[in-house]
Amino acid sequence: MKAVYFTEHGGPEVLTYGDVPEPEIGSTEIKVRVRACALNRLDLFTRAGARGTRMDLSGPHILGGDIAGDVAEVGSGVTQLKVGDRVVVNARLTCGQCDACVRGETELCVRPGMIGSTTSGGYAEYAKAPAANAAKLPDSLSYVQAASLPTVFLPCWTIFMRRAMLKPWETVLIVSASSGVGTAAIQVAKNVIGATVITTTSSDEKAKQAKELGADHVINYKTEDVAGRIKELTGKRGVNVVLDHVGADSWAYAMPSLAVGGRYGICGVTSGYKVELQMGLMFLKHQTVFGVFMGRNGDLRNIVEMAGRGVVKGVVHATYPLKDARKAHEDMDKLGFFGKLVLEVP
Ligand SMILES: [Zn+2]
């Protein structure tokens, strides 16, 4: 099959378009004819071997976790899917056997993996996944739309619905509206929960797009005093919940903006992963800081259902044919985009 792969870690130039063998599936797995695969920061880290992703590469590695396509083959033990079903896949792999998995808290699995990072992924004509990780697509969702959902919506869903339990009458700060996670978080907080949404971005054009997605207030972090504006907007109370996928840069204004009883959820650290925590204020204000990585297969089904009804949508900045994955990686390294970059597989 055609695929984009690499055989050594490095820059975008290590990505090669060529032929590799099709994946072979086990009894509880499906083989997906990939139609679309969205890019994530993790793809760039994995390609570079950065942030704990370095592997002993014995053969070609194929990136890509956010896979949408048609079921092309099912394992002998697969009961809920058939050849031809349109699906999108949760890239998060879990062992199904550890205490956390057995309790149903699969996000806490002690032997997790990630399609496209710890196993081969969807920059290819075919990819494999556990059948349980697939969610069936309604006709109203395109493959590109579907591929743009899992990795950005799952952590937002987990943070707001399960951990922070964001309420309709509360105010949430979503840092950096323009990333995939930012666009997802605004929609879940606003369109699904109905909370008041404050977000930050770097230009008037991006601010306009954030408002169109549902943000109530947008603060320009380049020209405005973010913490001061949040004080103003919340009557000095601060925000009840923070969703932070940026890390060090945003912590500086977001943590001091957290209200009494506030919950601070972290699902990414692209700007840096070490910060100072004022523990005294944290306990006096009954605040919680927690981390989240991806989410459960059941959550993905909820997200797909909401996307099918038009309550939320994947924000796609650009699509590229599979063979241009290198160009897509180069573009992702620049900051000028709003939403997801998605590969289409003809
Ligand atoms: Zn497990």
Side-chain angles (χ1 to χ4, degrees), residues 94-102 106 108-112:
T94 54
C95 76
Q97 298 171 54
C98 71
D99 288 346
C101 282
V102 169
T106 51
L108 308 181
C109 178
V110 297
R111 281 182 294 277

Side-chain angles (χ1 to χ4, degrees), residues 3 39 81 127 151 186-187 227 258 260 291 299 328:
L39 268 71
L81 292 168
T151 295
I186 291 170
Q187 296 181 78
L258 195 62
V260 173
D299 297 336

Side-chain angles (χ1 to χ4, degrees), residues 154 157-158 162 294-304:
L154 280 167
W157 199 270
T158 309
R162 183 164 300 118
M294 298 293 285
R296 302 178 187 175
N297 292 332
D299 297 336
L300 181 60
R301 294 179 188 192
N302 288 331
I303 293 160
V304 167

